[in-house]
Amino acid sequence: MSPVTPASVQKLQTALHAKAKESPSFRFYALYDKVYRKDVLTYAYDCCQANGGAAGVDGQRFEDIEAYGVERWLDELAQELKSRTYQPLPVRWVYIPTPDGKQRPLGLPAIRDRTAEMAAVLVLEPIVETDLQPEQYAYRPDRSALDAVSRVHKLIYAGHQEIVDADLSSYFDSIPHSELLKSVARRVVDGDMLHVIKMWLEAPVEETDERGNKHRNTRNRDEDRGTRKDLRSARCSVIYTCFGSCLGGRNWGTRSA
C-alpha cells in the first residue's frame, strides 16, 4: 500500500504545480533546498520502503536502517544534501529473467540514493507534469500502460482505423546526457538540482561475475549517454518525464491514430 502524502508535502506540490501551470515559461530557480526538507525526505523514504527492493552496493537493507534509527539516518542524509557533500554510490547491476528466456539488466541503487532521488521526484514532478500532453502515459503518476490501452480502445470505437506500434531500440543506452539536461533546464535553472541529476546519470555501475568478483564501469559518464535500466527508479521517472515533455511539444501521440 502506498503511503499517504503528508499535508505539508501536498501543499508544496500544489504550489509548484500551480506556478508551473500559470507561467508556462517560468524557470524554477530555488528547488534544491526542498529536496532535503525533513517532511519531503521522510515521505520519500516511506515511498521507497513501500516499493521494497534489494540492497544496493553498500548492502544496507531497510531492516538495517530501522535498527539504526530512521530519523537519525534521514538527518544524516539531509545534512549531506544540504552541505553539498552528497555523492551517489555506484549502482548495483543484476540480471533478471524475461518471459522469452533471456535476461535483462536491472540497476539497484543504494537506499540512500533511492530516497534522495524520490525526494527530487516529489519536487520536480508537479512542475514537469504541466508540460506533458494528455496522450503521454509513461512515467506519470496515476497512469499506466493499461490506461493507454484503454484509450486506444476508445479511439477504435470512435472510428479510428490505424494503430502504429513502435519501439525504440536501446533507448536507455542511447539517451544523451547533455540533451536530456537541456530538456530539464527548460523548466529548472537551479544549479544544485541540475548537478545532482547529472551525478545520478553518471553514477558508475557495479557487476558481480560468476566467480564473485566485482567490476565497476563508468561508461555512462565516459560516453555522456545512457542510463541504468530500472523502471522503478525515481531517477528514471523524473528524468524521462522531463525529456518526454520536450518531445510532447511536437504533438506526437493518438492525434494521428
Side-chain angles (χ1 to χ4, degrees), residues 184-205:
V184 179
R186 291 172 63 246
R187 274 299 206 171
V188 178
V189 291
D190 186 324
D192 291 319
M193 181 68 85
L194 294 173
H195 176 66
V196 76
I197 292 176
K198 184 176 181 180
M199 286 198 297
W200 289 329
L201 282 171
E202 296 181 345
V205 298

Side-chain angles (χ1 to χ4, degrees), residues 80-228:
E80 284 187 44
L81 290 164
K82 183 177 181 179
S83 64
R84 275 67 169 176
T85 58
Y86 167 81
Q87 289 287 331
L89 294 172
V91 176
R92 182 181 161 214
W93 205 249
V94 298
Y95 290 87
I96 60 175
T98 58
D100 59 4
K102 298 180 180 180
Q103 289 189 324
R104 71 175 180 88
L106 179 72
L108 295 173
I111 295 174
R112 66 190 288 278
D113 296 326
R114 288 181 230 173
T115 301
E117 292 165 4
M118 180 59 77
V121 169
L122 295 174
V123 174
L124 290 172
E125 192 172 67
I127 298 171
V128 299
E129 266 290 310
T130 63
D131 296 332
L132 298 181
Q133 299 295 316
E135 296 88 357
Q136 292 177 265
Y137 288 86
Y139 310 107
R140 300 183 68 177
D142 303 320
R143 289 193 174 209
S144 69
L146 291 178
D147 294 321
V149 172
S150 175
R151 175 61 178 159
V152 170
H153 283 169
K154 291 179 180 178
L155 289 169
I156 291 173
Y157 292 135
H160 294 275
Q161 300 297 316
E162 297 180 358
I163 298 174
V164 177
D165 183 11
D167 193 10
L168 299 176
S169 176
S170 301
Y171 176 60
F172 288 88
D173 293 327
S174 60
I175 294 179
H177 294 174
S178 56
E179 294 302 318
L180 191 152
L181 287 170
K182 285 180 184 177
S183 179
V184 179
R186 291 172 63 246
R187 274 299 206 171
V188 178
V189 291
D190 186 324
D192 291 319
M193 181 68 85
L194 294 173
H195 176 66
V196 76
I197 292 176
K198 184 176 181 180
M199 286 198 297
W200 289 329
L201 282 171
E202 296 181 345
V205 298
E206 180 178 283
E207 293 184 69
T208 302
D209 62 25
E210 296 177 353
R211 297 182 179 181
N213 298 315
K214 299 183 185 299
H215 306 275
R216 290 185 182 180
N217 77 71
T218 56
R219 185 185 69 83
N220 289 350
R221 184 191 67 191
D222 298 339
E223 298 181 5
D224 192 39
R225 66 178 58 246
T227 67
R228 71 175 194 256

